[in-house]
Structures are given as structure tokens and as C-alpha cells.
Amino acid sequence: MNISIIGSGYVGLVSGACFAELGNQVICADNDAKKISDLKQGIVPIYEPGLEELIVDNLKNKRLKFTSSIKEAVRASEVIFIAVGTPALENGEADLTGIENVARSIAQNMDGYRLIVEKSTVPVETCAWIKKTIAIYIKKKHKFDVVSNPEFLREGSAINDFNHPDRIVLGLETLKAKQIMTNLYQPLNAPILITNIKSAELIKHASNAFLATKISFINAIARICDKVGADVKEVAQGMGLDNRIGRHFLQAGIGYGGSCFPKDLEAFITIAEKLGYDFGILKAVRNTNQEQKIFVLQKIKDALWIIRGKTIAVLGLAFKPDTDDLRNSPSIDLINALIQEGAKIKVYDPKAMEKAAKILKHVVFCKDAYLAAEGADCLIIATEWNEFKELDFIKLKKKLKRALIVDGRNIYDPKLLMDLGFTYLGVGRGNG
Ligand code: UDX
């Protein structure tokens, strides 16, 4: 099939590269000319495992093209995905300016039937607005359909998530749209759920909000665990073995971050408010996530007494492993709070250092975990990169001024570290 994807961010690039890999002719468009000229040479602006190889391969075999001309993209393809950003406005609402602009451009440039597929995370009824907008600006009376096809891929495992989705949700209205979309996704051999458009739009928000709720719930349980001497990992395991609960998204830590959960939760709270519903549960989820960062900061303060003048090593900057994405990263919030308190910060992250250098001032960037630990009064694990799980603790202990580890992601065995002479503080591991 001939497909265009408007918006070459995370979702757009991963979807574009994966659809090309499935054998489609794909054009990825973006109005950032520099980004497009880089992508044409195989320079990918984000770190996502496997993405660069996929883009380079498909550029070579000419199944993938990049353009800064929406017109070219719209003219060349019957199926057009909208994957532009929907950043948060000050009041928490999603800014849909990008979506409206794209809808207008599609209308002005289409020269025959087009299937417009909305993939960005948007409030319910956005597809209805896209439909109206196209109907207003369309030049000739060409036919078109609008489909809602929310994306569930996670950063760090986006390509695998694209190729092996738990489900593909298609909110649509016509048989033609159904045929095209099911043909497109047929090679993935995954369960397809066909719904009405508004349900599909809601599924995305409801899913992300539910996952964030699971995380805040287990973080709240971690608080109780610390007070009574229970271990949240054991509690989560015991809960997760119940199939009705499930074991995923029950890892306590320094709170969720990233480009989706914080923004989507805020947007969903605002959507509900506009509809006259006070979504109290989600407000509590948001507050628990905020509190979690303060809770970890307090742990560090309790252990160090005075923060001012102390050297603190932070391992992990990205909001989760296997990405260089720093958006809403709890690690960055923690570092900024520690700097405010007067700490000297040394950091190391396997992939996110370059991006961090643009936003973090007054920190020392180190080439590896041991250099970061050198002379530090405390070492914090802020992102659970695999390489931090395999550190040489004897070497690490020699480097640290004080053998104090605050394991913000619960990646270590407390007993093992304590036996080696470390003071170990996890999140909800029952030790204060
Ligand atoms: C999320 C959704 O999972 C995905 O379906 C959607 O399309 C986009 O948003 P992403 O933000 O890439 O994906 O990462 P995810 O793995 O969901 O993690 C989000 C945050 O939650 C991270 O900061 C992570 O550290 C945190 N998290 C996740 C926890 O603190 N505990 C957990 O058990 C799981």
C-alpha cells in the first residue's frame, strides 16, 4: 500500500519504518526541514533500539521516503496517518493546532479518495473535528474516511510493540475503511478490535490512565511497606499472580514520567472536567506521583542529614531504560531538587547524556558509573538500565566516599548489598 505519515516524531517514525518493513511504500512528512534532511541521510533524531537500522535499510531499498512537503505526501498516498504532537497547554488540555493544520492541508491537497487515520493521542471527538475540517476545506467533492487508530507503543521497545501488539484498535464507520485498515495490519497477525470512532479515542486515554493508576497504586503501597517493614516487590508479586490484577506495571519507584502518562493524565482530567465529571481517581494518581518524588528526596535527606555541599552520584537520566528521552523524567526533577538543596551532582546515563547536557546545568557528566561514584556521599539509581544491574559492587564501594545506595528503581537485592557493607535504601523495601 502507499502510506503517508504526517509527523516524524516517535510514533510517526516507528510506524513509518515498521510499515515500510512490512512491504508498504511509505512517505514520512514533517515540517521540520532540518529533521527531514537528516532523516534522508539516515540520521535519526531519537534513540530507539533498532530504529536507525530499520530506517537506513528501508531508505536503501526505497520503501521509505522523507519529505517536508505535506502536498507530496498527500498526493502520493491513499492512506494518510496523522502522528503530529499534541503538547499540553497551560491548562492541561491537549493543543490540537497541529492536528487542525494537517487536516486542512490534507483537504487542500487531496485529489481523490483518502483514508485519514488519526494516531496521535487526542481527546474524544477529535476525529469528528478532523472530518468537519476536511469537509470545510476540501476543494472538490472527493470521498474520504476518518479512522481512529490509537498507538500503544512504549519507548525503548517501540519496534517490538509495533510488530507484536496485544491488540490493534480501529475506530471506523465504513466498510471501505475497515477493508483497507484490516488489510494493512493483516501481516501482524494480531487481534483487531473494531469499534466506533469515539470508543477508540477513549480506549487510548482510558488505557494510559489505568496504567498510571497501577503505578501510583503500587507506589502508595510502597509507602506503607516502608512503614511496616514489608517488601513491596514481594507484595507486588503476590498481587500480580492473581490473573485479574496481572503482574505488569506494578514496579514501585521514583514515579512515572515520559511524554505520555503525565500529559495524557492531565488531558484526561481536563476532558472529564469539560464533560462535567470530576475524575477524582486520576487527580489522586497524579498527586501520588508528585509525592513519590518528594518521598525519595526525603529518604536521601534523612540519610545524609545535610545535603548542602555533599556530592551525590545519579545513575540514569532518561525517564526509563533504552531511550534517551528526558521528557518529564523523574530523574531530572530529583537532580534539580538536589541542586536546589545545595548538592554537587555527578551523573551518568548510557544514552541520554547528550540531551541532558542541554537542560542540566551545574552537574558533572561522567563517562561511566564508577567515575560518577568517585568521591560521592551517596549513589542514586534513578533509571533501571541493565548495565546498572551488573555493576561490580566491590569496585563501586571503593570509589564511593560513603557506601550509601538509594535504589530508586528497586533493582538490587537489599540483603546482598547490606552484606557487602552498603547502607541500602530502596522504595518500599521495608527499611525506612
Ligand atoms: C506509555 C504506554 O505504556 C504506551 O502504551 C503509550 O503508547 C505511551 O505511554 P512509555 O511512556 O513509552 O509508554 O513507557 P512505559 O513503559 O509505559 O513507562 C512510563 C513510565 O512509567 C516510566 O517513567 C516508567 O519508569 C514508569 N513505570 C512503568 C513505573 O514506574 N512502574 C512500572 O511498573 C511501569
Side-chain angles (χ1 to χ4, degrees):
M1 274 187 210
N2 290 320
I3 301 173
S4 281
I5 313 227
I6 318 288
S8 298
Y10 247 104
V11 170
L13 282 180
V14 172
S15 312
C18 289
F19 276 130
E21 185 69 12
L22 289 177
N24 300 289
Q25 282 305 129
V26 180
I27 302 183
C28 286
D30 200 288
N31 54 12
D32 182 338
K34 163 90 174 81
K35 192 196 257 186
I36 291 298
S37 90
D38 282 352
L39 283 164
K40 280 181 179 169
Q41 300 165 58
I43 302 168
V44 182
I46 49 174
Y47 172 72
E48 178 64 35
L51 182 60
E52 191 170 300
E53 294 88 316
L54 212 56
I55 288 180
V56 170
D57 280 359
N58 282 285
L59 271 172
K60 268 194 205 137
N61 64 32
K62 300 203 179 343
R63 281 200 297 252
L64 184 60
K65 269 174 75 178
F66 292 98
T67 179
S68 49
S69 156
I70 269 210
K71 182 175 178 179
E72 184 190 338
V74 173
R75 287 281 157 94
S77 309
E78 191 180 36
V79 184
I80 302 163
F81 282 85
I82 304 180
V84 294
T86 52
L89 292 168
E90 242 166 52
N91 64 358
E93 253 180 85
D95 182 353
L96 301 178
T97 317
I99 304 250
E100 198 211 23
N101 286 340
V102 171
R104 205 178 321 121
S105 303
I106 292 173
Q108 286 162 345
N109 290 300
M110 56 196 266
D111 52 3
Y113 173 82
R114 291 293 180 276
L115 178 63
I116 295 102
V117 188
E118 207 301 302
K119 235 186 196 322
S120 310
T121 303
V122 291
V124 63
E125 293 187 341
T126 299
C127 282
W129 276 106
I130 292 175
K131 218 168 142 180
K132 271 188 223 166
T133 307
I134 295 178
I136 292 169
Y137 291 100
I138 202 162
K139 285 185 183 152
K140 288 188 187 161
K141 290 284 156 227
H142 300 299
K143 288 206 164 132
F144 67 95
D145 283 305
V146 175
V147 171
S148 166
N149 172 215
E151 186 52 71
F152 300 103
L153 51 83
R154 290 163 299 176
E155 291 182 24
S157 55
I159 291 171
N160 189 59
D161 287 350
F162 183 95
N163 288 320
H164 305 283
D166 288 348
R167 79 302 203 189
I168 292 158
V169 175
L170 300 174
L172 43 79
E173 285 170 332
T174 68
L175 193 61
K176 181 162 184 170
K178 182 177 169 185
Q179 274 163 352
I180 296 175
M181 290 307 288
T182 46
N183 273 347
L184 183 62
Y185 278 115
Q186 183 261 329
L188 294 184
N189 212 4
I192 294 182
L193 177 69
I194 310 264
T195 67
N196 75 37
I197 291 181
K198 287 180 190 171
S199 302
E201 289 174 323
L202 255 184
I203 286 169
K204 172 72 188 193
H205 266 307
S207 302
N208 273 359
F210 190 77
L211 290 170
T213 305
K214 265 188 117 174
I215 300 170
S216 277
F217 186 86
I218 202 66
N219 281 336
I221 298 291
R223 305 283 291 272
I224 305 285
C225 286
D226 268 345
K227 290 204 188 293
V228 300
D231 184 340
V232 73
K233 287 194 106 163
E234 293 175 352
V235 176
Q237 199 183 2
M239 289 168 65
L241 284 171
D242 184 329
N243 282 332
R244 293 169 302 174
I245 297 174
R247 64 194 169 84
H248 298 291
F249 278 69
L250 285 179
Q251 282 170 47
I254 58 173
Y256 61 74
S259 67
C260 288
F261 285 173
K263 175 174 79 81
D264 291 358
L265 209 72
E266 214 51 58
F268 204 20
I269 291 170
T270 318
I271 292 166
E273 228 154 56
K274 276 194 165 176
L275 295 169
Y277 178 67
D278 179 12
F279 216 144
I281 297 177
L282 297 190
K283 288 182 181 170
V285 167
R286 174 183 62 189
N287 293 346
T288 303
N289 198 54
Q290 278 308 108
E291 283 166 18
Q292 200 65 9
K293 296 177 205 171
I294 300 162
F295 164 63
V296 175
L297 178 66
Q298 191 56 48
K299 253 180 203 284
I300 301 164
K301 279 188 183 176
D302 290 347
L304 288 178
W305 187 30
I306 307 292
I307 299 273
R308 185 161 298 281
K310 297 265 163 66
T311 301
I312 299 181
V314 179
L315 300 188
L317 298 166
F319 82 98
K320 63 181 285 189
D322 294 319
T323 177
D324 61 354
D325 198 340
L326 298 168
R327 286 175 289 176
N328 287 308
S329 171
S331 170
I332 303 293
D333 289 346
L334 190 58
I335 289 169
N336 284 329
L338 288 166
I339 292 173
Q340 280 272 310
E341 301 271 343
K344 295 178 197 153
I345 304 289
K346 295 174 81 182
V347 299
Y348 168 68
D349 185 286
K351 292 284 175 205
M353 303 269 273
E354 209 178 299
K355 285 193 176 160
K358 292 184 190 142
I359 58 165
L360 276 180
K361 302 285 166 241
H362 315 297
V363 307
V364 179
F365 289 92
C366 302
K367 285 210 168 75
D368 65 32
Y370 303 103
L371 288 169
E374 200 147 10
D377 297 277
C378 166
L379 179 114
I380 303 171
I381 302 292
T383 314
E384 67 276 35
W385 286 93
N386 273 338
E387 69 171 74
F388 302 155
K389 295 178 185 165
E390 288 149 16
L391 291 176
D392 175 345
F393 296 118
I394 312 274
K395 184 173 169 190
L396 196 67
K397 195 163 168 245
K398 283 192 192 136
K399 299 277 177 193
L400 286 164
K401 196 188 319 170
R402 184 173 160 199
L404 167 65
I405 290 192
V406 176
D407 183 0
R409 297 292 185 171
N410 289 346
I411 60 174
Y412 298 131
D413 174 358
K415 185 167 177 324
L416 184 108
L417 287 190
M418 287 190 284
D419 286 350
L420 288 170
F422 283 91
T423 302
Y424 174 87
L425 296 173
V427 178
R429 310 303 295 275
N431 58 352

Coordinates of all heavy atoms in Angstrom, one line a residue, residues 10-11 121 150-157 161 167 204 207-208 211-212 214-216 218-219 247-262 264 289 318-321 323 325 327-330 382-384 409, ligand 1:
Y10 N 8.3 10.3 17.6 CA 8.4 8.9 18.0 C 7.4 7.9 17.2 O 7.8 7.0 16.6 CB 8.1 8.7 19.5 CG 9.3 8.3 20.2 CD1 10.0 9.3 21.0 CD2 9.8 7.0 20.2 CE1 11.1 8.9 21.6 CE2 10.9 6.7 20.8 CZ 11.6 7.6 21.6 OH 12.7 7.3 22.2
V11 N 6.1 8.3 17.4 CA 5.1 7.4 16.8 C 5.2 7.4 15.3 O 5.2 6.3 14.7 CB 3.7 7.9 17.2 CG1 2.6 7.2 16.5 CG2 3.5 7.7 18.7
T121 N -2.3 10.9 20.3 CA -3.2 10.8 21.4 C -4.0 12.1 21.5 O -3.5 13.2 21.7 CB -2.4 10.6 22.8 OG1 -1.6 9.5 22.6 CG2 -3.3 10.4 23.9
P150 N -5.5 4.4 17.7 CA -4.6 4.8 18.7 C -3.3 3.9 18.8 O -3.4 2.7 18.5 CB -5.4 4.7 20.0 CG -6.6 3.8 19.7 CD -6.8 4.0 18.2
E151 N -2.2 4.5 19.2 CA -0.9 3.8 19.2 C -0.6 3.5 20.7 O -0.8 4.3 21.5 CB 0.1 4.7 18.6 CG 1.5 4.1 18.5 CD 1.4 2.7 17.8 OE1 1.1 2.7 16.5 OE2 1.5 1.7 18.4
F152 N -0.1 2.3 20.9 CA 0.2 1.9 22.3 C 1.6 1.6 22.5 O 2.0 1.0 23.5 CB -0.7 0.7 22.7 CG -2.2 0.9 22.6 CD1 -2.9 0.4 21.5 CD2 -2.8 1.6 23.6 CE1 -4.3 0.6 21.5 CE2 -4.2 1.9 23.5 CZ -4.9 1.3 22.4
L153 N 2.5 2.0 21.5 CA 3.9 1.6 21.7 C 4.6 2.3 22.8 O 4.3 3.4 23.1 CB 4.6 1.7 20.4 CG 4.6 2.9 19.5 CD1 5.6 3.9 20.0 CD2 4.9 2.5 18.1
R154 N 5.5 1.6 23.4 CA 6.3 2.1 24.5 C 7.7 2.5 24.0 O 8.3 1.7 23.2 CB 6.5 1.1 25.6 CG 5.2 0.8 26.4 CD 5.4 -0.5 27.2 NE 5.6 -1.6 26.3 CZ 5.9 -2.9 26.6 NH1 6.0 -3.2 27.9 NH2 6.1 -3.8 25.7
E155 N 8.2 3.6 24.5 CA 9.6 3.9 24.1 C 10.5 2.8 24.7 O 10.3 2.3 25.7 CB 10.0 5.3 24.7 CG 9.2 6.4 24.0 CD 9.6 7.8 24.5 OE1 10.7 7.9 25.0 OE2 8.7 8.7 24.4
G156 N 11.6 2.6 23.9 CA 12.5 1.5 24.4 C 12.2 0.2 23.8 O 13.1 -0.7 23.7
S157 N 10.9 -0.1 23.6 CA 10.5 -1.4 22.9 C 9.5 -1.1 21.8 O 8.7 -2.0 21.6 CB 10.0 -2.3 24.0 OG 8.9 -1.7 24.7
D161 N 6.8 -3.6 20.1 CA 5.4 -3.3 20.4 C 4.6 -3.2 19.1 O 3.5 -3.6 19.0 CB 5.3 -2.0 21.2 CG 5.8 -2.3 22.6 OD1 6.0 -3.4 23.0 OD2 5.9 -1.3 23.4
R167 N -3.2 -5.7 21.0 CA -4.4 -5.5 20.1 C -4.2 -4.3 19.2 O -3.4 -3.4 19.5 CB -5.6 -5.4 21.0 CG -5.9 -4.0 21.7 CD -4.8 -3.5 22.5 NE -5.3 -2.5 23.5 CZ -4.4 -1.9 24.3 NH1 -3.1 -2.0 24.2 NH2 -4.9 -1.0 25.2
K204 N -7.6 4.8 24.2 CA -6.3 5.3 24.4 C -6.1 6.0 25.8 O -5.2 5.7 26.6 CB -5.9 6.2 23.3 CG -4.5 6.9 23.4 CD -3.4 5.9 23.3 CE -2.1 6.7 23.6 NZ -0.9 6.0 23.3
S207 N -6.7 3.6 28.7 CA -5.6 2.6 28.9 C -4.5 3.3 29.6 O -3.9 2.8 30.6 CB -5.1 2.0 27.6 OG -6.2 1.4 27.0
N208 N -4.0 4.4 29.1 CA -2.9 5.1 29.8 C -3.2 5.5 31.2 O -2.4 5.4 32.1 CB -2.5 6.4 28.9 CG -1.5 6.0 27.8 OD1 -1.1 4.8 27.7 ND2 -1.1 6.9 27.0
L211 N -3.0 2.5 33.4 CA -1.6 2.0 33.7 C -1.0 3.0 34.7 O -0.3 2.5 35.6 CB -0.8 2.0 32.4 CG -1.3 0.9 31.4 CD1 -0.6 1.1 30.1 CD2 -0.9 -0.5 32.0
A212 N -1.2 4.3 34.6 CA -0.7 5.2 35.5 C -1.2 5.0 36.9 O -0.5 5.1 37.9 CB -1.0 6.7 35.1
K214 N -2.2 2.1 38.1 CA -1.5 0.9 38.7 C -0.2 1.3 39.3 O 0.2 0.9 40.4 CB -1.2 -0.1 37.5 CG -2.2 -1.2 37.4 CD -1.8 -2.3 36.4 CE -1.7 -3.6 37.1 NZ -1.4 -4.7 36.1
I215 N 0.6 2.2 38.6 CA 1.9 2.6 39.1 C 1.7 3.4 40.4 O 2.4 3.1 41.4 CB 2.7 3.4 38.1 CG1 2.9 2.6 36.8 CG2 4.0 3.9 38.6 CD1 3.4 3.4 35.6
S216 N 0.8 4.4 40.4 CA 0.6 5.2 41.6 C 0.1 4.3 42.8 O 0.5 4.5 43.9 CB -0.4 6.3 41.4 OG 0.4 7.4 40.8
I218 N 0.8 1.1 43.3 CA 1.9 0.3 43.9 C 2.9 1.3 44.7 O 3.5 0.9 45.7 CB 2.6 -0.6 42.9 CG1 3.3 -1.7 43.6 CG2 3.6 0.2 42.0 CD1 2.5 -2.7 44.3
N219 N 3.0 2.5 44.2 CA 3.9 3.4 44.9 C 3.3 3.8 46.3 O 4.0 4.0 47.2 CB 4.1 4.7 44.0 CG 5.2 4.5 43.0 OD1 6.0 3.6 43.1 ND2 5.1 5.3 41.9
R247 N 0.7 -9.0 36.5 CA 2.0 -8.6 37.2 C 2.6 -7.4 36.6 O 3.6 -6.9 37.1 CB 2.9 -9.8 37.2 CG 3.4 -10.2 35.8 CD 4.1 -11.6 35.8 NE 4.2 -12.0 34.5 CZ 5.2 -11.7 33.7 NH1 6.2 -10.9 34.1 NH2 5.3 -12.1 32.4
H248 N 2.1 -6.9 35.4 CA 2.8 -5.8 34.8 C 2.4 -4.4 35.4 O 1.4 -4.3 36.0 CB 2.5 -5.7 33.3 CG 2.9 -6.9 32.6 ND1 4.3 -7.2 32.4 CD2 2.2 -8.0 32.1 CE1 4.4 -8.3 31.7 NE2 3.2 -8.8 31.5
F249 N 3.3 -3.5 35.3 CA 3.1 -2.1 35.8 C 2.8 -2.1 37.3 O 2.0 -1.3 37.8 CB 2.0 -1.4 35.0 CG 2.6 -0.9 33.7 CD1 3.0 -1.7 32.7 CD2 2.7 0.5 33.6 CE1 3.6 -1.2 31.6 CE2 3.3 1.0 32.4 CZ 3.8 0.2 31.5
L250 N 3.5 -2.9 38.0 CA 3.4 -2.9 39.5 C 4.8 -2.7 40.1 O 5.1 -3.2 41.2 CB 2.8 -4.2 40.0 CG 1.3 -4.3 39.8 CD1 0.8 -5.7 40.4 CD2 0.5 -3.2 40.5
Q251 N 5.7 -2.0 39.4 CA 7.0 -1.7 39.9 C 7.1 -0.4 40.6 O 6.9 0.7 39.9 CB 8.1 -1.7 38.8 CG 8.4 -3.1 38.3 CD 9.3 -3.1 37.1 OE1 10.2 -2.3 37.0 NE2 8.9 -3.9 36.1
A252 N 7.3 -0.4 41.9 CA 7.4 0.9 42.6 C 8.7 1.5 42.3 O 9.6 0.9 41.9 CB 7.3 0.6 44.1
G253 N 8.7 2.9 42.4 CA 9.9 3.6 42.1 C 9.8 5.1 42.4 O 9.1 5.5 43.3
I254 N 10.5 5.9 41.6 CA 10.5 7.3 41.9 C 9.4 8.0 41.1 O 9.4 9.2 41.0 CB 11.9 8.0 41.6 CG1 12.4 7.8 40.2 CG2 12.9 7.5 42.6 CD1 13.6 8.5 39.8
G255 N 8.5 7.2 40.6 CA 7.3 7.9 39.9 C 7.4 7.7 38.4 O 8.5 7.5 37.9
Y256 N 6.3 7.8 37.7 CA 6.3 7.6 36.3 C 6.6 9.0 35.6 O 6.4 10.0 36.2 CB 5.0 7.1 35.7 CG 3.7 7.9 36.0 CD1 3.5 9.1 35.4 CD2 2.9 7.5 37.0 CE1 2.4 9.9 35.7 CE2 1.7 8.3 37.3 CZ 1.5 9.5 36.7 OH 0.4 10.2 37.0
G257 N 7.2 8.9 34.4 CA 7.5 10.1 33.7 C 7.2 9.9 32.2 O 6.4 9.0 31.9
G258 N 7.9 10.6 31.3 CA 7.8 10.3 29.9 C 6.9 11.3 29.2 O 6.3 12.2 29.9
S259 N 6.7 11.1 27.9 CA 6.0 12.1 27.1 C 4.5 11.8 27.2 O 3.6 12.6 26.7 CB 6.4 12.1 25.7 OG 6.1 10.9 25.1
C260 N 4.1 10.6 27.7 CA 2.7 10.2 27.6 C 1.9 10.3 28.9 O 1.0 11.1 29.0 CB 2.6 8.8 27.1 SG 3.0 8.7 25.3
F261 N 2.3 9.5 29.9 CA 1.5 9.4 31.1 C 1.2 10.8 31.8 O 0.0 11.1 32.0 CB 2.1 8.5 32.1 CG 2.0 7.0 31.8 CD1 2.6 6.0 32.5 CD2 1.2 6.6 30.7 CE1 2.5 4.7 32.2 CE2 1.1 5.3 30.3 CZ 1.8 4.3 31.1
P262 N 2.2 11.6 32.1 CA 1.9 12.9 32.8 C 0.9 13.7 31.9 O -0.1 14.3 32.4 CB 3.2 13.5 33.0 CG 4.2 12.4 32.9 CD 3.7 11.4 31.9
D264 N -1.0 12.8 29.2 CA -2.3 12.2 28.9 C -3.2 12.3 30.1 O -4.5 12.4 30.0 CB -2.1 10.8 28.4 CG -1.5 10.7 27.1 OD1 -1.2 11.8 26.5 OD2 -1.2 9.6 26.6
N289 N 1.9 10.5 42.3 CA 3.2 10.5 41.5 C 4.1 11.7 41.9 O 5.3 11.5 42.0 CB 2.8 10.6 40.0 CG 4.0 10.1 39.1 OD1 4.5 9.1 39.3 ND2 4.4 11.0 38.2
A318 N 17.4 9.2 31.7 CA 16.2 9.0 30.9 C 15.0 8.6 31.8 O 15.2 8.1 32.9 CB 16.5 8.0 29.9
F319 N 13.8 8.9 31.3 CA 12.6 8.6 32.1 C 12.4 7.1 32.3 O 11.6 6.6 33.1 CB 11.4 9.3 31.6 CG 10.7 8.6 30.4 CD1 9.6 7.7 30.7 CD2 11.1 8.7 29.1 CE1 8.9 7.1 29.6 CE2 10.5 8.0 28.1 CZ 9.4 7.2 28.3
K320 N 13.1 6.3 31.4 CA 13.0 4.8 31.5 C 14.2 4.3 30.7 O 14.9 5.0 30.0 CB 11.7 4.3 31.0 CG 11.5 4.5 29.5 CD 10.2 4.0 29.0 CE 10.3 2.5 28.8 NZ 9.1 2.0 28.1
P321 N 14.6 3.0 30.9 CA 15.7 2.5 30.2 C 15.5 2.4 28.7 O 14.4 2.4 28.2 CB 16.0 1.1 30.8 CG 15.0 0.9 31.8 CD 13.9 2.0 31.7
T323 N 16.1 4.3 26.2 CA 15.7 5.5 25.5 C 16.6 6.7 25.9 O 17.2 6.6 27.0 CB 14.2 5.9 25.7 OG1 13.9 7.1 25.0 CG2 13.9 6.1 27.2
D325 N 15.2 9.7 26.0 CA 14.1 10.7 26.2 C 14.1 11.2 27.6 O 14.1 10.4 28.6 CB 12.8 10.0 25.9 CG 11.7 11.1 25.6 OD1 11.9 12.2 26.1 OD2 10.7 10.7 25.0
R327 N 11.9 13.7 28.6 CA 10.7 14.4 28.9 C 10.0 13.9 30.2 O 9.8 12.7 30.3 CB 9.7 14.3 27.7 CG 10.2 15.1 26.5 CD 9.3 14.9 25.3 NE 9.5 13.6 24.7 CZ 8.8 13.2 23.7 NH1 7.9 13.9 23.1 NH2 9.1 12.0 23.2
N328 N 9.8 14.9 31.1 CA 9.2 14.6 32.4 C 9.9 13.4 33.1 O 9.3 12.6 33.8 CB 7.7 14.1 32.2 CG 6.8 15.3 31.9 OD1 6.9 16.3 32.5 ND2 6.1 15.2 30.8
S329 N 11.2 13.4 33.0 CA 11.9 12.3 33.6 C 12.0 12.6 35.1 O 12.5 13.7 35.6 CB 13.4 12.2 33.1 OG 14.1 11.4 33.9
P330 N 11.6 11.7 36.0 CA 11.7 11.9 37.4 C 13.1 12.1 37.9 O 13.4 12.8 38.9 CB 11.1 10.6 38.0 CG 10.6 9.8 36.9 CD 11.0 10.4 35.6
A382 N 18.4 6.1 39.4 CA 17.2 6.8 39.0 C 16.5 6.2 37.8 O 15.3 6.4 37.5 CB 17.5 8.3 38.7
T383 N 17.3 5.4 37.0 CA 16.7 4.7 35.8 C 17.3 3.3 35.8 O 18.5 3.1 36.1 CB 17.1 5.4 34.5 OG1 16.9 6.8 34.7 CG2 16.3 4.9 33.3
E384 N 16.4 2.3 35.6 CA 16.9 0.9 35.7 C 17.5 0.3 34.5 O 17.1 -0.7 33.9 CB 15.7 0.0 36.2 CG 14.5 -0.2 35.3 CD 13.5 0.9 35.3 OE1 13.8 2.1 35.5 OE2 12.3 0.6 35.1
R409 N 14.8 2.5 41.9 CA 14.0 1.6 41.0 C 14.0 0.2 41.5 O 13.6 -0.7 40.7 CB 14.6 1.7 39.6 CG 14.6 3.0 38.9 CD 13.2 3.4 38.6 NE 13.1 4.7 37.8 CZ 12.0 5.1 37.3 NH1 10.9 4.5 37.4 NH2 12.0 6.2 36.6
Ligands
UDX1 C1 3.4 4.6 27.7 C2 2.4 3.5 27.4 O1 2.9 2.3 28.1 C3 2.2 3.2 25.9 O2 1.2 2.2 25.7 C4 1.7 4.6 25.3 O3 1.6 4.4 23.9 C5 2.7 5.7 25.6 O4 2.9 5.8 27.0 P1 6.0 4.9 27.6 O5 5.8 6.3 28.2 O6 6.9 4.9 26.4 O7 4.7 4.2 27.2 O8 6.7 4.0 28.7 P2 6.2 3.0 29.9 O9 6.9 1.7 29.8 O10 4.7 2.9 29.9 O11 6.6 3.8 31.2 C6 6.1 5.0 31.6 C7 6.7 5.5 32.9 O12 6.1 4.6 34.0 C8 8.2 5.4 33.0 O13 8.7 6.5 33.7 C9 8.4 4.1 33.8 O14 9.6 4.2 34.6 C10 7.2 4.1 34.8 N1 6.8 2.8 35.3 C11 6.3 1.9 34.4 C12 6.9 2.6 36.7 O15 7.3 3.4 37.5 N2 6.5 1.4 37.1 C13 6.0 0.4 36.3 O16 5.7 -0.7 36.8 C14 5.9 0.6 34.9

